[in-house]
Amino acid sequence: MAACGGGGDGAENRLPLTNRVWLTHVPKTVDDSVGALVVFEAKGRRQFGALYKGSLLRGSFELFEWQPDEQDGRARMRLLQDDKSVKIRTESCEPDAGLDACIMLHGDPLGVVRYQSKRIWGLRGRPAISSPLELDIAGDVRALLAADPELAALLSEET
């Protein structure tokens, strides 16, 4: 599955859903609440991910297995804590200024619907994981901040 970027719906404007950080919006301060989505490709063609809702200081997360459907734009999210399966439908949307892609995620169990990303927020070079326990969300946030100095500057200010 891919998300649409701004400036048209051509393939050059699409970003993959997997191996990328998606945020509801760019936080302005460390206590600004945001939603985050990350889906990683795993060994054996499986995909795992995490949903996060909160600030850099406090929040909640949900680990899941992502199971794409044969029907484009549809998937199942198996929540690992409860072994509950949630139907998901995705669609492209127009990103806010300064962001490159937007995806609507209908069925998100944390209630978030709209996620956005930048091209530089891809998680390149990450080896495929073999278990959701190998997810390193804090490390991914550090990598995101290292890749995006503008975002790092916003979050480095004291609240």
Side-chain angles (χ1 to χ4, degrees), residues 18-19 24 26 36 50 54 61 65 68-69 85 91-92 101 112 118 126 132-133:
T18 58
N19 299 323
T24 53
V26 177
F61 69 94
E65 180 178 7
D69 198 327
S85 186
E91 65 179 286
S92 301
V112 174
K118 287 185 176 184
R126 178 186 249 302
L133 298 177

Side-chain angles (χ1 to χ4, degrees), residues 14-22 38-41 100 117-129 136 139-144 146-148:
R14 291 185 173 267
L15 295 177
L17 176 69
T18 58
N19 299 323
R20 166 167 306 287
V21 174
W22 294 88
V38 181
V39 179
F40 294 105
E41 295 174 354
D100 299 316
S117 190
K118 287 185 176 184
R119 289 192 189 285
I120 62 174
W121 292 357
L123 303 172
R124 297 185 235 326
R126 178 186 249 302
I129 61 171
D136 179 14
D140 294 330
V141 170
R142 285 190 297 275
L144 172 67
D148 191 343

Side-chain angles (χ1 to χ4, degrees), residues 8-74:
D9 200 17
E12 70 280 359
N13 291 319
R14 291 185 173 267
L15 295 177
L17 176 69
T18 58
N19 299 323
R20 166 167 306 287
V21 174
W22 294 88
L23 299 176
T24 53
H25 66 279
V26 177
K28 303 294 185 214
T29 63
V30 293
D31 60 351
D32 187 6
S33 185
V34 300
L37 166 71
V38 181
V39 179
F40 294 105
E41 295 174 354
K43 295 176 183 171
R45 301 174 55 104
R46 294 174 73 190
Q47 297 176 3
F48 293 99
L51 292 167
Y52 178 81
K53 192 171 184 179
S55 70
L56 288 177
L57 304 175
R58 175 179 43 211
S60 61
F61 69 94
E62 183 85 45
L63 295 181
F64 60 86
E65 180 178 7
W66 183 258
Q67 303 165 329
D69 198 327
E70 291 180 15
Q71 195 174 27
D72 192 34
R74 303 215 181 250

